[in-house]
Amino acid sequence: MNSSFFKNKFFRYILFGLMALIFVFLIILVTRKKPVPEKEENLPSVVIQKPSTGKLVEAVTISGYVEAKDMIPVVPFVSGTITEYPARAGDFVTKDTLLAKIDDAPFRQQMLQAEAAYFAAKSTFDRVSNLYKSGATTQQNYDSAKAQADASKAQYDLSKLQVDYTEVKAPVDGTILIADQAVGGIGNQSQPVAVLADLSNQVVRLKVPEKYFDLFNLDREKLQVKVTRPAEKNMYEDAVTSATIENIAPYVSPESKNFVVVCHLDEPGDRFRPGMFVKVQVAYKSYENVPLISLKARKMDGSFYIYDQNSGTVKYVENTNPPIDEENFIVPQEYADSYIVLDGQNFVFDGQKVRIFEEALDQANSQVGKEK
Protein backbone atom coordinates (compact mmCIF):
# COMPACT_ATOMS: atom_id res chain seq x y z
CA MET A 1 0.00 0.00 0.00
CA ASN A 2 2.86 2.35 0.76
CA SER A 3 4.40 1.55 -2.63
CA SER A 4 1.18 2.46 -4.44
CA PHE A 5 0.93 5.69 -2.51
CA PHE A 6 4.43 6.85 -3.47
CA LYS A 7 3.88 5.75 -7.02
CA ASN A 8 0.68 7.82 -7.31
CA LYS A 9 2.44 10.82 -5.74
CA PHE A 10 5.30 10.54 -8.27
CA PHE A 11 2.82 10.54 -11.19
CA ARG A 12 1.05 13.58 -9.72
CA TYR A 13 4.32 15.51 -9.63
CA ILE A 14 5.00 14.59 -13.21
CA LEU A 15 1.49 15.64 -14.23
CA PHE A 16 1.79 19.00 -12.46
CA GLY A 17 5.17 19.60 -14.09
CA LEU A 18 3.78 18.86 -17.55
CA MET A 19 0.84 21.18 -16.95
CA ALA A 20 3.19 23.95 -15.81
CA LEU A 21 5.33 23.56 -18.93
CA ILE A 22 2.26 23.63 -21.15
CA PHE A 23 1.02 26.78 -19.34
CA VAL A 24 4.37 28.57 -19.82
CA PHE A 25 4.46 27.54 -23.46
CA LEU A 26 0.96 28.91 -24.02
CA ILE A 27 1.90 32.21 -22.36
CA ILE A 28 4.92 32.50 -24.66
CA LEU A 29 2.78 31.84 -27.71
CA VAL A 30 0.16 34.37 -26.66
CA THR A 31 2.53 37.19 -25.65
CA ARG A 32 5.00 36.80 -28.50
CA LYS A 33 4.43 39.41 -31.30
CA LYS A 34 5.97 39.68 -34.66
CA PRO A 35 7.88 42.98 -35.27
CA VAL A 36 5.61 45.49 -36.98
CA PRO A 37 7.28 47.70 -39.54
CA GLU A 38 7.08 51.42 -38.75
CA LYS A 39 4.20 52.98 -40.64
CA GLU A 40 4.88 55.94 -42.93
CA GLU A 41 2.15 58.04 -41.36
CA ASN A 42 3.73 57.59 -37.91
CA LEU A 43 7.02 59.18 -38.97
CA PRO A 44 7.67 62.84 -38.07
CA SER A 45 7.12 65.21 -40.99
CA VAL A 46 9.71 67.74 -42.09
CA VAL A 47 10.13 70.39 -44.76
CA ILE A 48 13.40 70.31 -46.67
CA GLN A 49 15.14 72.67 -49.03
CA LYS A 50 18.49 72.96 -50.78
CA PRO A 51 20.70 76.00 -50.15
CA SER A 52 20.70 78.74 -52.77
CA THR A 53 23.78 80.60 -53.94
CA GLY A 54 23.87 84.28 -53.09
CA LYS A 55 25.48 87.12 -51.20
CA LEU A 56 25.55 87.50 -47.44
CA VAL A 57 26.48 90.65 -45.58
CA GLU A 58 27.49 90.65 -41.94
CA ALA A 59 26.18 93.81 -40.36
CA VAL A 60 25.07 95.59 -37.22
CA THR A 61 21.50 96.90 -37.32
CA ILE A 62 20.55 99.76 -35.01
CA SER A 63 17.30 101.70 -34.83
CA GLY A 64 17.18 105.48 -34.83
CA TYR A 65 15.26 108.56 -35.92
CA VAL A 66 15.84 110.94 -38.80
CA GLU A 67 16.82 114.50 -37.91
CA ALA A 68 17.41 117.60 -39.95
CA LYS A 69 21.07 118.42 -39.54
CA ASP A 70 20.28 122.11 -39.05
CA MET A 71 16.91 123.00 -37.54
CA ILE A 72 16.41 126.76 -37.30
CA PRO A 73 13.78 128.20 -34.94
CA VAL A 74 12.70 131.63 -36.21
CA VAL A 75 11.74 133.98 -33.36
CA PRO A 76 10.66 137.63 -33.58
CA PHE A 77 13.05 140.20 -32.11
CA VAL A 78 10.12 142.35 -30.93
CA SER A 79 6.94 141.39 -29.10
CA GLY A 80 3.42 142.18 -30.18
CA THR A 81 0.18 140.99 -31.70
CA ILE A 82 0.49 138.91 -34.87
CA THR A 83 -1.48 140.59 -37.65
CA GLU A 84 -0.37 138.40 -40.58
CA TYR A 85 0.73 134.77 -40.57
CA PRO A 86 1.36 133.30 -44.04
CA ALA A 87 3.66 130.52 -42.77
CA ARG A 88 2.36 126.98 -43.42
CA ALA A 89 4.01 123.75 -42.30
CA GLY A 90 5.42 121.83 -45.24
CA ASP A 91 5.99 124.88 -47.45
CA PHE A 92 9.41 125.49 -48.93
CA VAL A 93 10.47 129.11 -48.50
CA THR A 94 13.42 131.11 -49.72
CA LYS A 95 15.48 133.55 -47.71
CA ASP A 96 13.61 136.77 -46.68
CA THR A 97 10.16 135.22 -47.25
CA LEU A 98 7.64 136.77 -44.84
CA LEU A 99 6.64 134.27 -42.14
CA ALA A 100 4.73 136.54 -39.76
CA LYS A 101 3.84 140.22 -39.32
CA ILE A 102 3.62 141.84 -35.90
CA ASP A 103 1.55 144.97 -35.29
CA ASP A 104 3.98 147.83 -35.96
CA ALA A 105 1.85 150.77 -34.75
CA PRO A 106 3.55 151.07 -31.33
CA PHE A 107 6.99 150.85 -32.90
CA ARG A 108 6.21 153.43 -35.57
CA GLN A 109 5.07 155.81 -32.82
CA GLN A 110 8.35 155.26 -31.00
CA MET A 111 10.19 155.86 -34.27
CA LEU A 112 8.42 159.23 -34.75
CA GLN A 113 9.35 160.27 -31.21
CA ALA A 114 12.96 159.23 -31.75
CA GLU A 115 13.02 161.04 -35.09
CA ALA A 116 11.80 164.30 -33.54
CA ALA A 117 14.34 164.05 -30.71
CA TYR A 118 17.11 163.36 -33.20
CA PHE A 119 16.26 166.33 -35.43
CA ALA A 120 16.13 168.62 -32.39
CA ALA A 121 19.48 167.37 -31.12
CA LYS A 122 21.01 167.63 -34.60
CA SER A 123 19.79 171.23 -34.95
CA THR A 124 21.31 172.12 -31.60
CA PHE A 125 24.59 170.46 -32.52
CA ASP A 126 24.75 172.31 -35.87
CA ARG A 127 24.25 175.65 -34.09
CA VAL A 128 26.84 174.88 -31.38
CA SER A 129 29.23 173.64 -34.05
CA ASN A 130 29.04 176.95 -35.92
CA LEU A 131 29.60 178.89 -32.67
CA TYR A 132 32.55 176.62 -31.79
CA LYS A 133 34.16 177.22 -35.18
CA SER A 134 33.86 181.01 -34.64
CA GLY A 135 35.25 180.69 -31.10
CA ALA A 136 32.01 181.80 -29.48
CA THR A 137 31.56 178.66 -27.34
CA THR A 138 33.66 176.20 -25.43
CA GLN A 139 34.92 172.75 -26.29
CA GLN A 140 32.79 171.35 -23.51
CA ASN A 141 29.59 172.74 -25.00
CA TYR A 142 30.58 171.38 -28.41
CA ASP A 143 31.30 167.90 -27.04
CA SER A 144 28.05 167.83 -25.07
CA ALA A 145 25.94 168.85 -28.10
CA LYS A 146 27.70 166.28 -30.28
CA ALA A 147 27.13 163.47 -27.75
CA GLN A 148 23.46 164.36 -27.48
CA ALA A 149 23.09 164.32 -31.28
CA ASP A 150 24.88 160.96 -31.58
CA ALA A 151 22.71 159.39 -28.85
CA SER A 152 19.54 160.68 -30.49
CA LYS A 153 20.72 159.31 -33.85
CA ALA A 154 21.35 155.85 -32.32
CA GLN A 155 17.92 155.84 -30.71
CA TYR A 156 16.32 156.86 -34.00
CA ASP A 157 18.16 154.08 -35.89
CA LEU A 158 17.10 151.54 -33.24
CA SER A 159 13.46 152.57 -33.55
CA LYS A 160 13.61 152.14 -37.32
CA LEU A 161 15.19 148.72 -36.85
CA GLN A 162 12.39 147.69 -34.49
CA VAL A 163 9.85 148.63 -37.12
CA ASP A 164 11.70 146.40 -39.60
CA TYR A 165 11.73 143.58 -37.05
CA THR A 166 7.91 143.52 -37.01
CA GLU A 167 8.23 141.60 -40.29
CA VAL A 168 9.58 138.17 -39.34
CA LYS A 169 11.34 136.72 -42.38
CA ALA A 170 13.04 133.43 -43.20
CA PRO A 171 16.77 133.72 -42.51
CA VAL A 172 17.67 130.94 -45.00
CA ASP A 173 16.11 128.73 -47.64
CA GLY A 174 14.33 125.76 -46.15
CA THR A 175 11.14 123.81 -45.48
CA ILE A 176 8.82 124.89 -42.70
CA LEU A 177 8.58 122.01 -40.24
CA ILE A 178 6.52 123.71 -37.54
CA ALA A 179 4.17 126.67 -37.85
CA ASP A 180 1.83 126.66 -34.87
CA GLN A 181 1.09 130.36 -34.36
CA ALA A 182 -2.00 132.24 -35.58
CA VAL A 183 -3.26 135.72 -36.38
CA GLY A 184 -4.22 137.42 -33.13
CA GLY A 185 -1.66 135.54 -31.09
CA ILE A 186 1.24 137.17 -29.29
CA GLY A 187 4.63 136.91 -30.91
CA ASN A 188 7.65 137.00 -28.60
CA GLN A 189 11.16 135.69 -28.27
CA SER A 190 10.15 132.77 -26.05
CA GLN A 191 8.28 130.96 -28.84
CA PRO A 192 9.31 130.66 -32.50
CA VAL A 193 6.81 131.60 -35.18
CA ALA A 194 8.24 128.79 -37.35
CA VAL A 195 10.95 126.13 -37.44
CA LEU A 196 12.89 125.73 -40.70
CA ALA A 197 15.10 122.90 -41.91
CA ASP A 198 16.98 121.91 -45.02
CA LEU A 199 15.42 118.54 -45.88
CA SER A 200 18.22 117.72 -48.31
CA ASN A 201 20.58 117.67 -45.35
CA GLN A 202 19.34 114.97 -42.94
CA VAL A 203 21.14 112.76 -40.44
CA VAL A 204 20.52 109.86 -38.08
CA ARG A 205 22.15 109.91 -34.65
CA LEU A 206 22.76 106.33 -33.59
CA LYS A 207 23.33 105.23 -30.02
CA VAL A 208 25.73 102.34 -30.58
CA PRO A 209 26.56 99.82 -27.82
CA GLU A 210 30.07 100.00 -26.39
CA LYS A 211 31.06 96.55 -27.73
CA TYR A 212 31.12 97.96 -31.29
CA PHE A 213 33.45 100.87 -30.45
CA ASP A 214 36.53 99.25 -32.01
CA LEU A 215 34.59 98.14 -35.07
CA PHE A 216 33.43 101.69 -35.84
CA ASN A 217 36.76 103.35 -35.09
CA LEU A 218 39.27 100.84 -36.48
CA ASP A 219 37.32 99.78 -39.59
CA ARG A 220 35.51 103.07 -40.32
CA GLU A 221 36.66 103.24 -43.93
CA LYS A 222 35.35 99.72 -44.63
CA LEU A 223 31.89 100.25 -43.20
CA GLN A 224 28.92 100.58 -45.54
CA VAL A 225 25.76 102.15 -44.20
CA LYS A 226 22.21 101.57 -45.43
CA VAL A 227 19.18 103.38 -44.00
CA THR A 228 15.73 101.78 -44.33
CA ARG A 229 12.37 103.24 -43.42
CA PRO A 230 9.88 100.36 -43.11
CA ALA A 231 6.71 100.96 -45.11
CA GLU A 232 3.24 99.52 -44.86
CA LYS A 233 3.33 96.01 -46.30
CA ASN A 234 1.45 95.35 -49.55
CA MET A 235 1.10 99.11 -50.06
CA TYR A 236 4.53 100.63 -50.56
CA GLU A 237 8.09 99.45 -50.76
CA ASP A 238 10.50 100.30 -47.97
CA ALA A 239 12.32 103.59 -48.45
CA VAL A 240 16.05 102.89 -48.70
CA THR A 241 19.09 105.11 -49.08
CA SER A 242 22.79 104.87 -48.41
CA ALA A 243 24.48 107.00 -45.78
CA THR A 244 27.94 108.24 -44.86
CA ILE A 245 29.39 108.18 -41.37
CA GLU A 246 29.94 111.83 -40.57
CA ASN A 247 31.03 111.74 -36.97
CA ILE A 248 31.88 109.19 -34.26
CA ALA A 249 31.89 110.27 -30.65
CA PRO A 250 35.34 109.80 -29.10
CA TYR A 251 33.88 108.64 -25.80
CA VAL A 252 31.34 106.21 -24.34
CA SER A 253 28.60 107.45 -22.04
CA PRO A 254 29.14 105.82 -18.61
CA GLU A 255 25.38 105.90 -17.93
CA SER A 256 24.07 104.24 -21.10
CA LYS A 257 27.27 102.45 -22.22
CA ASN A 258 26.62 103.81 -25.72
CA PHE A 259 28.49 106.13 -28.03
CA VAL A 260 26.95 108.38 -30.69
CA VAL A 261 27.50 107.89 -34.41
CA VAL A 262 26.11 110.48 -36.83
CA CYS A 263 25.21 109.16 -40.28
CA HIS A 264 24.44 111.59 -43.10
CA LEU A 265 21.76 110.42 -45.57
CA ASP A 266 23.21 110.53 -49.08
CA GLU A 267 19.92 110.86 -50.99
CA PRO A 268 16.97 111.32 -48.62
CA GLY A 269 14.55 112.15 -51.45
CA ASP A 270 10.89 112.70 -50.60
CA ARG A 271 10.34 109.69 -48.33
CA PHE A 272 12.57 110.63 -45.42
CA ARG A 273 11.48 113.33 -43.00
CA PRO A 274 12.70 114.43 -39.56
CA GLY A 275 11.24 112.30 -36.78
CA MET A 276 10.76 109.15 -38.88
CA PHE A 277 11.78 105.78 -37.44
CA VAL A 278 14.50 104.03 -39.45
CA LYS A 279 16.72 100.97 -39.27
CA VAL A 280 20.38 101.58 -39.98
CA GLN A 281 22.42 98.63 -41.21
CA VAL A 282 26.18 99.03 -40.85
CA ALA A 283 27.83 96.32 -42.93
CA TYR A 284 31.39 95.33 -42.06
CA LYS A 285 31.96 92.14 -44.12
CA SER A 286 30.38 90.55 -47.20
CA TYR A 287 30.53 87.09 -48.80
CA GLU A 288 29.86 86.52 -52.51
CA ASN A 289 28.49 83.35 -54.15
CA VAL A 290 28.05 81.32 -50.98
CA PRO A 291 25.40 78.64 -50.16
CA LEU A 292 22.63 80.23 -48.09
CA ILE A 293 19.65 78.86 -46.21
CA SER A 294 17.03 80.55 -44.06
CA LEU A 295 17.70 81.07 -40.36
CA LYS A 296 14.53 79.06 -39.75
CA ALA A 297 16.58 75.93 -40.38
CA ARG A 298 18.70 76.52 -37.28
CA LYS A 299 17.79 75.20 -33.86
CA MET A 300 18.17 77.27 -30.71
CA ASP A 301 21.77 76.06 -30.27
CA GLY A 302 22.66 76.90 -33.88
CA SER A 303 22.70 73.29 -35.12
CA PHE A 304 20.66 71.97 -38.04
CA TYR A 305 19.72 68.70 -39.80
CA ILE A 306 20.38 67.48 -43.32
CA TYR A 307 18.20 64.91 -45.08
CA ASP A 308 19.60 61.73 -46.65
CA GLN A 309 17.43 60.73 -49.61
CA ASN A 310 18.87 57.21 -49.79
CA SER A 311 18.02 56.21 -46.23
CA GLY A 312 15.17 58.64 -45.62
CA THR A 313 16.81 59.76 -42.38
CA VAL A 314 18.09 63.03 -40.99
CA LYS A 315 21.62 63.76 -39.85
CA TYR A 316 22.54 66.14 -37.07
CA VAL A 317 25.06 68.89 -37.87
CA GLU A 318 26.63 70.74 -34.95
CA ASN A 319 26.75 74.52 -34.72
CA THR A 320 29.76 75.81 -36.65
CA ASN A 321 29.08 79.52 -35.89
CA PRO A 322 28.66 80.45 -39.57
CA PRO A 323 28.29 84.05 -40.75
CA ILE A 324 24.66 85.16 -40.61
CA ASP A 325 22.54 88.15 -41.53
CA GLU A 326 18.95 89.04 -40.67
CA GLU A 327 17.50 86.27 -42.86
CA ASN A 328 20.07 83.60 -43.81
CA PHE A 329 23.24 81.85 -42.73
CA ILE A 330 26.08 80.35 -44.76
CA VAL A 331 25.90 76.56 -45.03
CA PRO A 332 29.24 74.71 -44.71
CA GLN A 333 30.54 73.86 -48.16
CA GLU A 334 30.27 70.09 -47.64
CA TYR A 335 26.49 70.48 -47.29
CA ALA A 336 26.03 72.94 -50.15
CA ASP A 337 24.21 70.32 -52.28
CA SER A 338 22.34 68.62 -49.44
CA TYR A 339 18.72 68.93 -48.51
CA ILE A 340 18.41 70.82 -45.22
CA VAL A 341 15.49 70.48 -42.84
CA LEU A 342 13.74 73.85 -42.92
CA ASP A 343 10.84 72.99 -40.63
CA GLY A 344 10.23 70.20 -38.12
CA GLN A 345 13.84 69.96 -36.95
CA ASN A 346 12.82 70.38 -33.32
CA PHE A 347 10.91 67.07 -33.33
CA VAL A 348 13.53 64.69 -34.76
CA PHE A 349 16.78 63.13 -33.62
CA ASP A 350 19.98 62.08 -35.36
CA GLY A 351 19.47 59.07 -37.67
CA GLN A 352 15.68 59.09 -37.41
CA LYS A 353 13.54 58.23 -40.43
CA VAL A 354 11.26 61.08 -41.43
CA ARG A 355 8.44 61.81 -43.83
CA ILE A 356 8.77 64.65 -46.33
CA PHE A 357 5.93 66.95 -47.18
CA GLU A 358 5.31 66.29 -50.87
CA GLU A 359 4.61 69.89 -51.72
CA ALA A 360 7.83 70.96 -50.02
CA LEU A 361 9.82 68.31 -51.86
CA ASP A 362 8.27 69.33 -55.18
CA GLN A 363 9.13 72.94 -54.49
CA ALA A 364 12.70 72.05 -53.62
CA ASN A 365 13.10 69.96 -56.78
CA SER A 366 11.61 72.78 -58.83
CA GLN A 367 14.09 75.23 -57.38
CA VAL A 368 16.99 72.93 -58.11
CA GLY A 369 15.74 72.57 -61.68
CA LYS A 370 15.68 76.33 -62.14
CA GLU A 371 19.20 76.66 -60.81
CA LYS A 372 20.44 74.06 -63.33
Side-chain angles (χ1 to χ4, degrees):
M1 187 169 182
N2 289 339
S3 175
S4 175
F5 173 78
F6 287 112
K7 187 175 183 180
N8 291 337
K9 188 176 181 180
F10 175 76
F11 282 118
R12 281 200 298 270
Y13 283 138
I14 293 177
L15 180 61
F16 287 143
L18 289 174
M19 291 178 65
L21 289 174
I22 294 172
F23 180 74
V24 172
F25 180 72
L26 289 175
I27 291 177
I28 294 174
L29 289 178
V30 172
T31 58
R32 184 180 180 185
K33 294 183 179 179
K34 294 182 179 180
V36 179
E38 196 170 13
K39 294 182 180 180
E40 180 73 16
E41 58 268 20
N42 292 334
L43 298 176
S45 299
V46 295
V47 176
I48 61 174
Q49 182 178 314
K50 275 193 173 184
S52 60
T53 302
K55 177 181 179 180
L56 184 136
V57 177
E58 285 189 298
V60 178
T61 301
I62 303 171
S63 300
Y65 294 90
V66 178
E67 301 176 16
K69 185 177 181 182
D70 299 313
M71 296 182 66
I72 304 171
V74 183
V75 298
F77 294 141
V78 295
S79 300
T81 303
I82 298 175
T83 58
E84 298 179 31
Y85 194 65
R88 294 292 180 271
D91 289 350
F92 177 81
V93 295
T94 57
K95 183 179 179 181
D96 294 331
T97 298
L98 180 67
L99 301 178
K101 179 74 167 65
I102 292 177
D103 184 12
D104 62 355
F107 302 101
R108 287 193 178 278
Q109 188 64 35
Q110 292 176 8
M111 183 185 70
L112 293 175
Q113 293 175 351
E115 183 181 21
Y118 166 61
F119 285 151
K122 185 175 184 302
S123 178
T124 299
F125 172 68
D126 290 342
R127 186 172 61 255
V128 173
S129 179
N130 290 330
L131 292 175
Y132 177 72
K133 289 179 181 179
S134 63
T137 189
T138 64
Q139 178 73 40
Q140 182 179 0
N141 289 337
Y142 174 83
D143 292 341
S144 178
K146 184 177 185 303
Q148 185 64 34
D150 290 343
S152 298
K153 177 65 166 60
Q155 190 65 35
Y156 176 47
D157 290 341
L158 177 60
S159 64
K160 290 193 296 182
L161 191 60
Q162 287 180 325
V163 172
D164 292 338
Y165 282 158
T166 59
E167 292 187 347
V168 185
K169 300 179 180 180
V172 295
D173 296 350
T175 300
I176 301 176
L177 298 184
I178 302 174
D180 53 4
Q181 296 280 31
V183 173
I186 302 299
N188 54 65
Q189 296 183 14
S190 64
Q191 185 175 6
V193 297
V195 177
L196 303 182
D198 180 5
L199 295 185
S200 64
N201 195 7
Q202 300 184 50
V203 298
V204 179
R205 300 181 190 276
L206 301 177
K207 295 181 179 180
V208 185
E210 178 184 357
K211 63 181 179 179
Y212 298 117
F213 189 82
D214 290 337
L215 173 65
F216 276 79
N217 283 275
L218 300 180
D219 296 332
R220 177 173 178 174
E221 300 301 324
K222 301 178 182 178
L223 302 180
Q224 296 180 343
V225 184
K226 182 177 72 172
V227 181
T228 302
R229 180 173 75 86
E232 184 66 27
K233 299 301 181 184
N234 302 323
M235 292 183 65
Y236 303 98
E237 294 183 354
D238 294 346
V240 181
T241 184
S242 59
T244 303
I245 295 178
E246 192 172 82
N247 182 52
I248 299 176
Y251 67 94
V252 176
S253 170
E255 292 82 13
S256 63
K257 294 299 180 181
N258 295 328
F259 62 98
V260 177
V261 176
V262 180
C263 299
H264 183 272
L265 276 62
D266 294 336
E267 296 180 3
D270 296 329
R271 299 191 62 190
F272 289 92
R273 289 291 185 271
M276 287 183 172
F277 173 81
V278 293
K279 292 183 178 180
V280 181
Q281 182 191 72
V282 182
Y284 53 89
K285 192 172 184 179
S286 62
Y287 302 84
E288 301 283 350
N289 300 320
V290 290
L292 304 176
I293 197 73
S294 172
L295 288 174
K296 295 189 299 182
R298 302 183 78 194
K299 299 183 65 176
M300 292 295 293
D301 61 357
S303 62
F304 62 94
Y305 285 92
I306 62 171
Y307 175 71
D308 185 355
Q309 288 181 290
N310 296 326
S311 62
T313 60
V314 291
K315 177 184 177 182
Y316 177 80
V317 180
E318 292 184 357
N319 178 22
T320 56
N321 293 318
I324 64 174
D325 61 12
E326 295 180 344
E327 298 179 354
N328 304 308
F329 69 93
I330 297 180
V331 177
Q333 195 61 43
E334 60 265 33
Y335 306 119
D337 294 326
S338 302
Y339 282 107
I340 295 178
V341 177
L342 196 63
D343 191 13
Q345 66 273 29
N346 293 315
F347 305 99
V348 298
F349 55 83
D350 189 25
Q352 184 178 15
K353 291 181 68 66
V354 295
R355 180 168 60 95
I356 306 300
F357 282 124
E358 293 299 330
E359 58 272 20
L361 184 58
D362 292 340
Q363 183 180 357
N365 290 331
S366 174
Q367 183 178 355
V368 173
K370 290 180 180 179
E371 293 175 355
K372 292 181 178 180

